[in-house]
């Protein structure tokens, strides 16, 4: 049977084979295209590396060129510097050679000069030796005479000062010092707010010398008129706090001698009272700029320091000091150290009484025991914020109360003078007090209330029953000299401003404060006037201020009034009022019988 081959099948098979080969070729083409792409990528990467290599090589070449240039410049500079060093060495050698020449020439000239001087001295001693010796003797004699005159002048000055103090002591006058402050920035700060007259900061008060102050009273339409005031000491604007305290310091010795001492600052608001008494650490920095902290301290901290220095020279544990701080506000006594029922520090109202011995006393007054001036100032600074202040036209922080700091010194072993004064005082009290008063209702045994308000120095005696009035179980008002410690008081007073209502420009409650201030200051002037005229009655009780200061104003106490005045024309009226107050205070003559009596202790 013949073989039949289908041509279509053959063609289909061939087509299938060709398609298979075509697919194989296409796959191969695809593989080659992929490899070609990979090769292109590798080629591009190699080109990038080659380009970066060329750039790095160029950068390195550039860096090498810069280094070669820098090295060349450095070498050039070193070469130039070396040449300059060589030139300097040559100059130094030349200068050294010149110096050697000058030194040699100077040494030679010095030897020649010494020989010439020696020859001249020999010739002078040979020809004029006697004249030179006589001249030297005369010079020495004149120098000795000058030293003797200096010592004599110093001694005479000291004697004059002692005699002056003795004279003031015998006369018993209240000591009045005046301090004129400099013109300050706030003198012009409120000038536009005043409604009366023109305002001027022209200085019309001048310090003539240590004892005289001159006031130029300028009035529009009238010729100028000068007024002169004299005081024990006048401090000018240039005087420091130390200079002011040096005039006050002797009073502290009198305190330990058994005298009560009071130092008060009087003047209008802004005249420098608080600066004088406390210092400027409590004031704004723009009020009294300048000095250091020590030199800016006022009388109170310096007095405390001096008091404890004097006590340190006494036997140990012989003196104790207690401090109390009160303010007189609206004629009320406020204990600034007192605390309310909750234990918070607040001004507690107190009363002032007169004891059976005639001294003033504040019952239940809070006192604190202090052992150094630092303790004193810590106590005072802790309660200064409780003091009443208010804004006025004169000053933005005006004190509206009288601040009284009292340092009570208790002496367990009083000196001879203090003991003699106590004996004499007790003798006079016994002579003044009739024995029938021992049975009066004021007797401490008969009246328990009077017993609490009696003088602290009175000592209790035996309580055995007795039938005679002259041997009363009630103790005598004479203090016990053997048991009770001897107490003296140092009262440091910063008075409120003495300006009038029109100057302060206050209204409402502040107006009542100003009225109370002026009335208390008027009462103080009345007391000094009564003492000056030696009236039988002195109105201490007209004001709480004078009642509280009774022991330090009357009797044989030492009182120093520091008048603080402003030099500007704006305050001339208030300054004249303060100076007039000081003039009247100088006229006071205290009882001198006690001082003139010679006290002897065997």
């Amino acid at each position: 049977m013949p073989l039949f081959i289908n041509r279509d099948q053959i063609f289909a098979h061939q087509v299938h084979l060709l398609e298979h080969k075509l697919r194989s070729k296409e796959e191969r083409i695809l593989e080659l295209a992929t490899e070609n792409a990979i090769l292109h990528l590798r080629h591009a990467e190699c080109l990038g590396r080659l380009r970066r290599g060329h750039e790095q090589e160029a950068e390195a070449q550039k860096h090498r060129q810069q280094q070669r240039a820098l090295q060349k410049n450095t070498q050039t500079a070193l070469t130039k510097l070396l040449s300059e060093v060589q030139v300097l060495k040559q100059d130094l050698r030349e200068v050294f050679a010149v110096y050697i020449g000058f030194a040699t020439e100077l040494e030679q000239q010095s030897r020649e000069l010494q020989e010439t001087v020696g020859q001249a001295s020999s010739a002078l001693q040979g020809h004029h030796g006697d004249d030179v010796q006589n001249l030297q003797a005369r010079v020495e004699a004149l120098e000795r005479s000058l030293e003797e005159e200096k010592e004599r002048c110093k001694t005479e000055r000291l004697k004059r000062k002692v005699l002056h103090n003795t004279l003031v002591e015998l006369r018993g006058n209240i000591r009045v010092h005046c301090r004129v402050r400099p013109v300050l920035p706030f003198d012009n700060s409120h000038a536009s707010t005043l409604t009366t007259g023109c305002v001027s900061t022209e200085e019309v008060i001048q310090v003539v010398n240590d004892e005289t102050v001159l006031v130029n009273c300028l009035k529009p339409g009238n010729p100028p008129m000068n007024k002169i005031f004299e005081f024990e000491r006048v401090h000018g604007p240039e005087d420091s706090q130390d200079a002011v305290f040096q005039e006050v310091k002797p009073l502290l010795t009198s305190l330990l001698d058994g005298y009560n001492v009071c130092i008060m600052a009087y003047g209008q608001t802004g005249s420098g009272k608080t600066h004088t008494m406390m210092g400027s650490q409590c004031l704004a920095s723009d009020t009294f700029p300048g000095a250091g902290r020590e030199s800016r301290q006022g009388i109170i901290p310096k007095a405390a320091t001096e008091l404890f220095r004097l006590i340190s020279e006494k036997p140990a544990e012989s003196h104790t000091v207690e401090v109390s701080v009160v303010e007189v506000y609206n004629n009320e006594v406020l204990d600034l150290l007192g605390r309310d029922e909750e234990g918070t520090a607040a001004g507690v109202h107190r009363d002032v009484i007169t004891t059976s011995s005639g001294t003033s006393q504040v019952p239940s007054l809070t006192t604190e025991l202090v052992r150094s001036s630092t303790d004193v100032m810590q106590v005072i600074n802790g309660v200064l914020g409780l003091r009443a202040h208010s804004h006025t036209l004169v000053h933005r922080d005006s004190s509206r109360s009288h601040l009284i700091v009292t340092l009570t010194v208790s002496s367990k072993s009083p000196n001879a003078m203090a003991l003699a004064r106590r004996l004499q005082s007790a003798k006079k009290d016994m002579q003044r007090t009739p024995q029938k008063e021992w049975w009066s209702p004021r007797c401490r045994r008969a009246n328990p209330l009077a017993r609490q308000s009696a003088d602290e120095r009175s000592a209790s005696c035996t309580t055995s029953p007795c039938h005679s009035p002259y041997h009363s179980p009630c103790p005598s008002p004479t203090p016990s000299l053997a048991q009770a410690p001897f107490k003296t008081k140092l009262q440091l007073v910063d008075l409120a401003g003495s300006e009038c209502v029109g100057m302060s420009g206050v209204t409402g409650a502040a107006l009542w404060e100003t009225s109370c201030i002026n009335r208390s200051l008027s009462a103080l002037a009345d007391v000094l006037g009564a003492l000056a005229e030696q009236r039988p009655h002195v109105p201490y009780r007209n004001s709480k201020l004078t009642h509280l200061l009774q022991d330090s104003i009357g009797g044989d106490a030492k009182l120093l009034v520091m008048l603080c005045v402003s030099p500007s024309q704006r305050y001339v009226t208030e300054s004249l009022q303060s100076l007039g107050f000081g003039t009247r205070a100088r006229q006071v003559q205290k009882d001198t019988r006690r001082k003139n009596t010679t006290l002897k202790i065997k």
Side-chain angles (χ1 to χ4, degrees):
M1 178 174 179
L3 181 61
F4 178 78
I5 300 174
N6 192 347
R7 203 178 258 194
D8 293 333
Q9 291 181 349
I10 295 173
F11 286 154
H13 181 67
Q14 290 178 351
V15 168
H16 178 72
L17 291 177
L18 290 175
E19 289 180 349
H20 180 70
K21 291 181 179 181
L22 180 61
R23 286 194 296 271
S24 299
K25 295 296 183 180
E26 288 178 351
E27 292 177 356
R28 180 61 180 167
I29 290 171
L30 183 61
E31 291 177 358
L32 292 176
T34 303
E35 291 179 0
N36 187 28
I38 293 173
L39 290 175
H40 276 292
L41 291 175
R42 291 180 178 177
H43 181 261
E45 184 178 357
C46 291
L47 289 177
R49 290 179 181 177
L50 182 61
R51 191 182 305 108
R52 287 193 297 273
H54 285 305
E55 292 177 354
Q56 291 176 356
E57 184 178 359
E59 185 73 19
Q61 186 68 21
K62 183 178 179 181
H63 183 65
R64 286 194 295 272
Q65 291 177 357
Q66 291 178 351
Q67 284 184 345
R68 284 196 294 270
L70 180 62
Q71 185 177 3
K72 185 177 180 180
N73 294 334
T74 304
Q75 188 173 3
T76 303
L78 289 176
T79 304
K80 184 178 179 180
L81 182 62
L82 183 61
S83 62
E84 292 178 355
V85 169
Q86 295 296 334
V87 173
L88 289 176
K89 285 184 178 180
Q90 183 64 28
D91 294 342
L92 183 60
R93 283 194 292 269
E94 295 177 357
V95 170
F96 185 72
V98 173
Y99 166 74
I100 293 297
F102 279 148
T104 304
E105 183 179 358
L106 181 62
E107 185 178 359
Q108 183 178 359
Q109 292 179 356
S110 176
R111 285 196 298 268
E112 294 176 356
L113 182 60
Q114 287 180 355
E115 292 176 358
T116 303
V117 171
Q119 294 175 1
S121 177
S122 300
L124 183 62
Q125 290 179 358
H127 296 85
H128 305 286
D130 295 337
D131 295 340
V132 172
Q133 291 179 357
N134 294 334
L135 184 60
Q136 290 179 349
R138 290 181 61 185
V139 170
E140 292 176 357
L142 289 175
E143 289 180 351
R144 286 194 300 269
S145 177
L146 180 61
E147 291 296 330
E148 292 176 357
E149 291 297 330
K150 287 182 178 180
E151 290 295 330
R152 189 179 296 109
C153 181
K154 183 178 180 180
T155 304
E156 292 298 329
R157 287 181 179 177
L158 183 59
K159 288 182 179 179
R160 179 185 177 277
K161 185 175 181 180
V162 172
L163 290 175
H164 175 72
N165 292 335
T166 304
L167 177 61
V168 173
E169 177 73 15
L170 293 175
R171 290 179 61 193
N173 286 356
I174 293 178
R175 304 179 188 183
V176 180
H177 293 186
C178 178
R179 187 179 193 186
V180 182
R181 70 160 173 81
V183 177
L184 299 176
F186 70 81
D187 286 338
N188 267 332
S189 60
H190 301 290
S192 60
T193 60
L194 295 180
T195 59
T196 59
C198 59
V199 177
S200 174
T201 58
E202 180 183 358
E203 296 188 30
V204 296
I205 299 180
Q206 300 177 356
V207 177
V208 179
N209 52 43
D210 290 345
E211 298 178 354
T212 308
V213 60
L214 173 67
V215 182
N216 185 8
C217 301
L218 299 175
K219 293 184 179 180
N222 295 328
M225 180 179 60
N226 296 330
K227 291 186 178 181
I228 296 178
F229 298 88
E230 293 184 353
F231 303 102
E232 277 72 27
R233 185 67 166 87
V234 176
H235 299 280
E238 69 282 355
D239 286 357
S240 63
Q241 297 279 65
D242 293 333
V244 174
F245 180 70
Q246 287 301 320
E247 301 294 332
V248 178
K249 186 166 34 174
L251 293 177
L252 300 177
T253 304
S254 299
L255 176 69
L256 296 183
D257 286 341
Y259 292 90
N260 289 332
V261 176
C262 178
I263 304 172
M264 65 171 61
Y266 183 96
Q268 68 170 82
T269 299
S271 59
K273 299 187 301 299
T274 303
H275 173 69
T276 300
M277 297 303 296
M278 292 294 301
S280 49
Q281 65 269 23
C282 301
L283 303 176
S285 59
D286 60 344
T287 305
F288 291 91
R293 181 175 182 180
E294 291 295 331
S295 61
R296 292 169 61 181
Q297 288 183 346
I299 292 178
I300 293 179
K302 289 181 180 294
T305 302
E306 177 66 13
L307 175 61
F308 282 99
R309 187 192 69 80
L310 294 175
I311 291 177
S312 65
E313 299 175 355
K314 305 294 182 180
E317 304 297 332
S318 62
H319 293 77
T320 58
V321 181
E322 295 178 329
V323 61
S324 63
V325 184
V326 301
E327 70 168 346
V328 180
Y329 176 67
N330 289 347
N331 204 31
E332 294 290 339
V333 178
L334 302 180
D335 183 4
L336 297 184
L337 295 181
R339 297 183 179 272
D340 55 16
E341 297 178 355
E342 298 179 356
T344 306
V348 181
H349 287 267
R350 303 294 186 195
D351 196 9
V352 185
I353 64 172
T354 301
T355 63
S356 58
S357 59
T359 60
S360 64
Q361 188 180 18
V362 181
S364 304
L365 180 63
T366 305
T367 60
E368 291 193 15
L369 183 65
V370 289
R371 301 186 182 276
S372 66
S373 60
T374 303
D375 296 343
V376 174
M377 295 313 301
Q378 286 179 352
V379 172
I380 297 175
N381 292 330
V383 297
L384 276 182
L386 301 177
R387 188 180 182 186
H389 292 81
S390 178
H391 177 80
T392 66
L393 294 182
V394 179
H395 199 276
R396 64 174 179 267
D397 190 22
S398 174
S399 300
R400 311 308 296 165
S401 65
H402 309 297
L403 181 68
I404 303 174
V405 178
T406 304
L407 297 177
T408 304
V409 181
S410 301
S411 175
K412 299 179 181 178
S413 57
N415 55 26
M417 180 62 69
L419 183 58
R421 292 184 61 252
R422 291 181 62 184
L423 287 169
Q424 189 179 33
S425 177
K427 181 178 179 181
K428 290 187 177 182
D429 290 340
M430 292 179 64
Q431 292 175 354
R432 288 196 305 263
T433 306
Q435 293 182 353
K436 63 180 180 180
E437 292 184 1
W438 294 1
W439 289 91
S440 67
R442 299 181 63 181
C443 175
R444 295 175 66 245
R445 174 75 64 175
N447 190 352
L449 296 178
R451 186 188 313 169
Q452 296 178 1
S453 61
D455 189 3
E456 295 180 358
R457 292 179 296 179
S458 62
S460 61
C461 65
T462 178
T463 58
S464 59
C466 197
H467 301 285
S468 173
Y470 295 99
H471 300 280
S472 169
C474 300
S476 168
T478 304
S480 173
L481 301 177
Q483 299 177 3
F486 185 70
K487 292 188 177 183
T488 54
K489 293 190 295 186
L490 170 62
Q491 291 186 308
L492 305 164
V493 187
D494 180 15
L495 295 173
S498 60
E499 69 276 0
C500 61
V501 176
M503 174 62 70
S504 61
V506 295
T507 57
L511 181 61
W512 173 248
E513 294 175 348
T514 304
S515 176
C516 292
I517 292 172
N518 291 334
R519 281 189 291 176
S520 61
L521 294 178
S522 297
L524 178 61
D526 293 341
V527 167
L528 296 179
L531 292 174
E533 298 175 4
Q534 297 183 356
R535 301 176 195 167
H537 172 68
V538 181
Y540 290 112
R541 299 188 186 183
N542 285 359
S543 171
K544 294 293 180 65
L545 174 66
T546 54
H547 198 182
L548 192 61
L549 300 178
Q550 177 179 347
D551 297 343
S552 301
I553 297 178
D556 58 353
K558 309 291 183 180
L559 173 61
L560 186 144
V561 179
M562 181 68 69
L563 301 177
C564 299
V565 296
S566 170
S568 60
Q569 169 67 24
R570 175 186 175 188
Y571 304 114
V572 65
T573 302
E574 283 69 22
S575 298
L576 287 174
Q577 187 272 334
S578 299
L579 295 173
F581 174 86
T583 302
R584 292 190 299 272
R586 290 191 70 202
Q587 299 174 0
V588 177
Q589 292 188 353
K590 297 180 182 177
D591 183 14
T592 60
R593 291 173 297 177
R594 181 178 300 183
K595 298 177 183 179
N596 293 333
T597 303
T598 302
L599 303 178
K600 297 182 180 180
I601 298 180
K602 297 182 180 180

